[in-house]
Amino acid sequence: QVQLVESGGGFVQPGGSLRLSCAASGRIFSVRVMGWYRQAPGRQRELVATILNGGYTNYAGSVSGRFTISRDNAENTLYLQMNSLKPEDTAVYYCNFKFAQSEYWGQGTQVTVSA
């Protein structure tokens, strides 16, 4: 079974930057898609960014140009670099790994953007 642990969340002022990390362990060799999702209070969980095993990336329109999804050299850690943060980026951010027959989620890390 795969385990995912997010870190790097916290408080930041508008215009600031933050980098989230997702440390993965277990059987991750065959992962198909890795992604970041977020959920604000009272709202549906939404896709932020994904990266395919082959390296192709996809971003929500609201974060395109500001956020970057990437993997480390060992492909055991997923990152989300967040720049030019806005108050509307405030949410709990979740890491997700999708496989052919299953998917796994981290427990989330809080990001708060406020002056």
Side-chain angles (χ1 to χ4, degrees):
Q1 187 170 334
V2 173
Q3 291 184 315
L4 306 174
V5 180
E6 300 97 337
S7 63
F11 178 89
V12 64
Q13 294 189 349
S17 297
L18 209 59
R19 188 177 75 164
L20 305 183
S21 298
C22 174
S25 62
R27 300 176 182 271
I28 61 174
F29 175 79
S30 60
V31 64
R32 299 288 188 87
V33 184
M34 294 168 279
W36 288 97
Y37 294 73
R38 67 186 182 188
Q39 186 168 26
R43 297 190 181 278
Q44 292 276 86
R45 182 160 53 190
E46 64 176 345
L47 173 69
V48 176
T50 59
I51 183 167
L52 276 62
N53 195 39
Y56 296 99
T57 58
N58 182 62
Y59 298 91
S62 59
V63 307
S64 181
R66 299 189 297 121
F67 291 11
T68 303
I69 187 170
S70 63
R71 298 167 292 179
D72 71 357
N73 292 331
E75 299 186 357
N76 290 320
T77 304
L78 182 69
Y79 298 100
L80 183 68
Q81 178 65 48
M82 305 184 293
N83 299 323
S84 302
L85 283 162
K86 305 174 181 179
E88 51 262 46
D89 294 318
T90 295
V92 177
Y93 284 71
Y94 298 90
C95 174
N96 173 267
F97 277 35
K98 287 184 172 64
F99 299 81
Q101 301 296 329
S102 62
E103 65 176 356
Y104 299 87
W105 295 88
Q107 291 186 304
T109 184
Q110 177 71 49
V111 172
T112 302
V113 185
S114 180

